[in-house]
Amino acid sequence: MTAPHPASAPSSSDAPVILLAGCGRMGSALAQGWAASAHPPRLVILDHKLEKAPGNAPIYRQVKDLPADLAPALIVLAVKPAGAAELLEALRQHLGKGLTHSTLLSIMAGKSCADLARACGNPDMAVIRAIPNTPSSVNAGTTGLYAGPTVSAPMKALAHQLMSDVGAVVEVPKEEDLRAVTALSGSGPAYVFLLAELLEKSGVELGLSRETATQLARNMIYGAGKMLHDLPQSAATLRQNVTSPNGTTAAALDVLSAPDAWPRTVPQATRAAAKRAAELDD
Ligand SMILES: NC(=O)C1=CN([C@@H]2O[C@H](COP(=O)(O)OP(=O)(O)OC[C@H]3O[C@@H](n4cnc5c(N)ncnc54)[C@H](OP(=O)(O)O)[C@@H]3O)[C@@H](O)[C@H]2O)C=CC1
Ligand SMILES: O=C(O)[C@@H]1CCC=N1
């Protein structure tokens, strides 16, 4: 039997309130995914400039505009790490007890659970960290999740469900693992989009129209992604199935798999991302 959804139906006034603090690129990707999910949560949005929220969630511009009696079950912190402490201090001042009864779900690539708890003025504050990605907007997201030691089981389940509503969730055993998660799946869509851009450009250089090259590149990446998602074979097997001996793919892979090409640059890129995530943690 499927467990009941912790966030319940959107119209239910006893469903837990989720405050999405920051609704920019990643926050709005989540809001879009939630609005399109089977169980849209009861969302309240805090954002300086968002005009219209997916699912028509109420939007407040400033912390001081939030209802003072708001007691969100989860506060999804989706601002830049540099602005987090100021925002949490403002929430603490404004919500008072409302904040202490909340669990923080930070999606920031940076700022540890301990730092965030301190910024809430409560070293025992329940803090979960999750690193989602923008495909969450089309309910095909990937989220790495770590729950700090003071998080209750129901709140962890609620956070897990919320992120599962927009894609797959992988829990990691150590908070430090989130740096690698950020480097792989958090930033990862940008690597694929860069590949799409470069393939489109190459297609045009090979004589195709921009429109045709764009269609070919985008649909090919969709199809390859679907195979990786749907089929049990390893990526290596799927690659080998495309590669006829002495054929066209082998000619291309000779370039891409050369020691100085992708085998060097891909690990170099993910190391750079993980290093930056560690810097943002401090
Ligand atoms: N983009 C991505 O793919 C991913 C991002 N993340 C993390 O998500 C976080 C947000 O990133 P991203 O969405 O790209 O950033 P954005 O700058 O696009 O979004 C942040 C939003 O929050 C608003 N905001 C900030 N402070 C306040 C405040 N005090 N009150 C009201 N609104 C506020 C900002 O408004 P204004 O600009 O006017 O201040 C902005 O609209 C980052 O910490 C990042 O590490 C994690 C995984 C993936
Ligand atoms: O670029 C960044 O820092 C954020 C975190 C992962 C994706 N975007």
Side-chain angles (χ1 to χ4, degrees), residues 21-28 46-50 60-63 77-81 83 86-87 107-110 130-134 182 186-187 280:
C23 197
R25 288 166 301 187
M26 192 58 235
S28 59
L46 171 69
D47 191 83
H48 285 143
K49 51 186 188 283
L50 186 74
Y60 298 90
R61 293 265 170 260
Q62 310 277 346
V63 170
L77 192 58
V79 298
K80 295 274 166 54
E86 193 184 332
L87 172 58
I107 66 151
M108 299 189 303
I131 300 293
N133 62 14
T134 56
T182 308
S187 297
L280 291 171

Side-chain angles (χ1 to χ4, degrees), residues 128-202:
I128 301 171
R129 289 184 61 194
I131 300 293
N133 62 14
T134 56
S136 303
S137 64
V138 292
N139 301 84
T142 305
T143 297
L145 187 140
Y146 170 82
T150 58
V151 176
S152 69
M155 284 301 107
K156 186 174 164 187
L158 176 59
H160 199 291
Q161 181 65 58
L162 201 59
M163 302 316 291
S164 298
D165 284 342
V166 294
V169 178
V170 177
E171 281 192 39
V172 293
K174 302 193 302 294
E175 186 170 1
E176 292 72 31
D177 291 341
L178 292 174
R179 297 168 184 171
V181 169
T182 308
L184 249 75
S185 55
S187 297
Y191 316 154
V192 177
F193 300 142
L194 175 62
L195 176 63
E197 289 174 65
L198 294 173
L199 284 172
E200 286 167 26
K201 189 162 173 279
S202 314

Side-chain angles (χ1 to χ4, degrees), residues 235-262:
T237 299
L238 296 175
R239 169 175 54 78
Q240 283 151 12
N241 289 345
V242 187
T243 314
S244 310
N246 209 22
T248 62
T249 315
L253 291 184
D254 278 351
V255 177
L256 297 176
S257 328
D260 262 5
W262 285 9

Side-chain angles (χ1 to χ4, degrees), residues 70-140:
L70 189 73
L74 279 177
I75 299 174
V76 181
L77 192 58
V79 298
K80 295 274 166 54
E86 193 184 332
L87 172 58
L88 290 172
E89 175 58 24
L91 284 171
R92 184 158 74 108
Q93 299 285 337
H94 188 72
L95 298 180
K97 279 208 163 68
L99 179 60
T100 54
H101 292 145
S102 302
T103 293
L104 202 60
L105 171 56
S106 166
I107 66 151
M108 299 189 303
K111 299 284 171 221
S112 65
C113 290
D115 275 352
L116 292 169
R118 262 194 302 276
C120 293
N122 171 13
D124 294 326
M125 179 82 189
V127 183
I128 301 171
R129 289 184 61 194
I131 300 293
N133 62 14
T134 56
S136 303
S137 64
V138 292
N139 301 84

